[in-house]
Amino acid sequence: MTVERDVKVAMRDGVRISVCVYRPADDAPAPALFAASPYQHEFDSVPAFPLFPTRETGPVEWYVGQGYAYVHADVRGSGQSEGEFGFMDLTEQEDYVELIAWIARQPWCTGKVGGIGQSYYAMAQWLMATLNPPALACIVPYDGLVDQYRCSNYHGGIFCNYRSFWYANLRADNQHRPAGGKGRPPMRFDLVGAITEHTLYDDWWRERSAFERLGEIRVPVLSIGHWGKMGLHLRGNILGFEEVTAPKKLVITGAKNYFEAHHLFDQVEFHAKELLPFYDAHLKGIDNAVMAGAPVRLFVRGIDQWREEPQWPLARAQYVSYYLRKGPSGSVTSLNDGGLSAEPPAPDEASTSYSYPDWEWMSGVVVTGPDGRPDPVRRVLTFTSAPLAADLEVTGPIVLELYASSDQIDTRFIVKLADQHPQDDAVRAKGVQPAFTNVSKGWLLASHRERDTSRSTELRPFYTHANPQPLTPGEVYRFDIEVLPIAYVFKRGHRIRLEIVNGDSAVTDAVFTHPYPPTAIGSDTIHHDRVHASRLKLPVV
């Protein structure tokens, strides 16, 4: 392998972007894979361990061994590149176009370029593809959102602080070196200030999101997401697949969390099976029928099986309503221990109220249980079904139709869908909480309930996040909350559980949490009578 480090490529305004080129040593022209991020090609030799979450290039040397050049760029204002960082702004996107053109002109390149990489690299791929550079032949956005506002920074309009500490770490990694050594000059862009200033979906977010331009992509797309990346990229990979009109395929893996998704992308076996055939077909012209099979491959959790599907969402899925009920379920200790049933509520069924913040909340809404361990449901609202009489597969988008009122002019709904495992009656009698698996999540800030009617469907409510509307205290509103899609089998004897509260916790939600604001003090009521029949709409296969 021939390695050319810190090659400077001049952009239209004279700023020089630094790239590292890895290519076959025989100097024969090869198709190129292009990766762009602020994570610095200087650190490509860092071991591919989950400890280093920004090592998202995949197995570079292996791809060179498969007959590809690999070009890794430090985006403008990061690493060894000149200029000012703008966090995926239009200037950075235009750099992608120029870099792809430069790669295609090199004697070691056949003129064909494909996108590669995870997370930031994947978001960059969605964006570069909307601009259709002539040499770009395909993209494989692995773990990549398409909507910066809704998928990451303001879930349902609720501020998420992930990007804030992400940027603090990014700046430190770019500037700090051992023994007081200096890296690049400081990254001056105030990303945290910009995120907190732009509380609504506006042109600042629109510029940095591929979502509204996905229909312009003309190159083939292999979108790879993970059921466990609910707080960041999952929605983007699914939404990207749905909106793209170019040749496309969708793969959703069973990676259960942030770390499993990263670890999977480091595995040569995964690339050999999922990515290489796609690149071979579109960059080398190999007739391997990669596009001839089913367009969708899903890992079905609960039974841990891969399955091919002819479309997404699944046409054969039938929506079944599970109604929120007064309860008790007798299966879990929570604020209310409500029920969840296929039977509609009675006309006069009483509502469920709670006040917040709860005096026991410590790490977000998580409390310490009697055994001294964190208990995430003891002081939240739960609605739990009876034990299932048979296995139940739920695959597709989910909607929570929630009737609620508040004594405040605004409130937050953070919901979780969980598989509650069976528990021995004697153990339950001791007050021990049942084991469970979180399956999906949903979010909505009540004042952001204005729908985007042009984009909303029965399967996915879509909100403008541009026109906050205060609540009238005491008035009952219907909130349709998008709960992220799943492919999951709830086993016989297990229970379906819905959790509702106005916060979450770093204990249970890893790095994608929502700070609890001092303005969130009040009382909310969930209504579940015959007139206000709150229900969870599940796509049952």
Side-chain angles (χ1 to χ4, degrees):
M1 181 171 69
T2 297
V3 181
E4 299 176 75
R5 304 187 187 281
D6 192 22
V7 178
K8 292 295 198 295
V9 183
M11 298 292 99
R12 60 211 167 277
D13 57 358
V15 168
R16 298 185 303 162
I17 302 298
S18 176
V19 304
C20 188
V21 179
Y22 307 86
R23 55 188 176 84
D26 61 9
D27 292 331
L33 302 176
F34 174 55
S37 84
Y39 298 145
Q40 306 172 85
H41 57 68
E42 172 186 344
F43 297 134
D44 283 350
S45 60
V46 166
F49 299 159
L51 179 64
F52 301 109
T54 60
R55 178 69 158 78
E56 299 169 328
T57 59
V60 176
E61 297 86 347
W62 180 79
Y63 272 109
V64 176
Q66 302 303 310
Y68 288 89
Y70 194 116
V71 181
H72 184 182
D74 292 343
V75 299
R76 180 179 293 240
S78 72
Q80 299 177 60
S81 291
E82 300 171 352
E84 294 296 326
F85 182 63
F87 185 58
M88 312 200 94
D89 62 355
L90 184 57
T91 298
E92 183 178 317
Q93 296 170 43
E94 291 171 344
D95 291 345
Y96 304 154
V97 173
E98 292 196 39
L99 287 165
I100 290 169
W102 176 85
I103 294 168
R105 292 195 302 268
Q106 301 311 299
W108 42 259
C109 182
T110 61
K112 286 195 172 184
V113 180
I116 192 170
Q118 179 180 11
S119 193
Y120 197 107
Y121 299 90
M123 295 185 289
Q125 289 180 68
W126 288 117
L127 289 166
M128 67 180 70
T130 66
L131 300 174
N132 292 295
L136 186 66
C138 65
I139 61 169
V140 183
Y142 177 101
D143 206 23
L145 61 79
V146 296
D147 184 339
Q148 292 284 357
Y149 185 92
R150 296 171 182 84
C151 293
S152 175
N153 293 283
Y154 284 91
H155 297 120
I158 302 171
F159 170 63
C160 175
N161 62 3
Y162 164 71
R163 192 62 66 186
S164 300
F165 66 77
W166 170 88
Y167 192 47
N169 291 337
L170 177 70
R171 296 171 85 171
D173 288 346
N174 269 263
Q175 292 168 218
H176 296 175
R177 293 297 181 271
K182 301 296 182 184
R184 70 157 288 106
M187 302 170 77
R188 301 293 186 188
F189 181 49
D190 184 8
L191 178 58
V192 178
I195 289 172
T196 52
E197 176 185 352
H198 294 273
T199 58
L200 304 179
Y201 182 68
D202 57 16
D203 287 342
W204 192 89
W205 295 108
R206 195 171 285 112
E207 177 182 346
R208 292 162 171 81
S209 301
F211 171 64
E212 295 185 20
R213 295 181 274 150
L214 289 170
E216 300 173 22
I217 294 177
R218 296 197 296 267
V219 299
V221 177
L222 171 56
S223 178
I224 304 178
H226 314 277
W227 296 126
K229 289 297 285 288
M230 290 175 283
L232 190 58
H233 294 307
L234 172 63
R235 184 178 183 274
N237 281 110
I238 293 175
L239 195 60
F241 173 80
E242 292 178 2
E243 294 286 326
V244 165
T245 57
K248 59 187 179 180
K249 295 183 80 74
L250 174 68
V251 174
I252 306 293
T253 83
K256 294 185 287 294
N257 54 45
Y258 180 88
F259 301 103
E260 283 192 13
H262 282 74
H263 185 60
L264 191 60
F265 198 61
D266 296 326
Q267 306 307 305
V268 166
E269 295 79 8
F270 182 83
H271 285 263
K273 180 179 181 181
E274 303 291 352
L275 284 76
L276 184 63
F278 190 82
Y279 288 133
D280 282 349
H282 299 295
L283 297 177
K284 292 185 176 181
I286 295 175
D287 184 9
N288 57 14
V290 70
M291 301 301 290
V296 178
R297 289 183 66 245
L298 306 173
F299 186 87
V300 183
R301 297 178 63 196
I303 55 174
D304 294 346
Q305 294 178 5
W306 282 98
R307 193 171 67 212
E308 295 186 342
E309 294 291 346
Q311 77 282 113
W312 177 271
L314 278 58
R316 70 181 188 279
Q318 300 294 315
Y319 275 81
V320 176
S321 293
Y322 279 79
Y323 295 92
L324 279 62
R325 301 296 303 273
K326 185 66 178 177
S329 78
S331 67
V332 64
T333 302
S334 68
L335 283 177
N336 66 317
D337 187 24
L340 193 66
S341 172
E343 297 296 323
D348 59 348
E349 185 164 310
S351 57
T352 300
S353 299
Y354 82 108
S355 296
Y356 47 82
D358 188 274
W359 72 276
E360 290 191 51
W361 290 351
M362 298 178 66
S363 176
V365 300
V366 171
V367 304
T368 300
D371 58 1
R373 293 183 294 182
D375 188 335
V377 297
R378 185 170 294 272
R379 304 298 293 179
V380 306
L381 301 181
T382 63
F383 298 88
T384 311
S385 75
L388 296 172
D391 289 1
L392 182 74
E393 179 181 333
V394 179
T395 297
I398 299 169
V399 178
L400 173 60
E401 187 179 299
L402 188 69
Y403 289 89
S405 59
S406 179
D407 64 0
Q408 303 299 304
I409 62 171
D410 206 355
T411 189
R412 314 190 309 177
F413 301 107
I414 295 180
V415 304
K416 295 178 182 177
L417 180 64
D419 173 0
Q420 184 171 294
H421 301 184
Q423 186 180 41
D424 182 85
D425 290 343
V427 177
R428 173 93 288 267
K430 295 178 181 178
V432 177
Q433 296 282 44
F436 66 94
T437 301
N438 278 334
V439 176
S440 189
K441 300 177 185 178
W443 310 266
L444 184 64
L445 184 63
S447 62
H448 282 221
R449 64 192 179 276
E450 181 183 75
R451 282 177 178 262
D452 183 335
T453 56
S454 67
R455 298 188 184 277
S456 289
T457 69
E458 290 187 9
L459 306 184
R460 180 185 290 115
F462 202 96
Y463 295 95
T464 66
H465 299 292
N467 181 28
Q469 300 174 356
L471 300 175
T472 299
E475 183 174 332
V476 179
Y477 295 86
R478 170 177 158 176
F479 302 96
D480 288 347
I481 300 174
E482 175 189 4
V483 180
L484 292 178
I486 63 173
Y488 194 92
V489 173
F490 294 86
K491 303 300 286 292
R492 182 173 66 87
H494 290 226
R495 299 171 186 255
I496 302 170
R497 187 175 76 204
L498 180 71
E499 302 169 23
I500 303 175
V501 72
N502 71 337
D504 54 19
S505 170
V507 174
T508 52
D509 296 85
V511 294
F512 310 119
T513 55
H514 306 81
Y516 196 92
T519 54
I521 300 174
S523 179
D524 292 350
T525 299
I526 307 300
H527 298 266
H528 39 78
D529 54 56
R530 186 65 58 86
V531 175
H532 306 104
S534 295
R535 57 179 176 157
L536 186 65
K537 296 188 283 189
L538 299 178
V540 174
V541 177

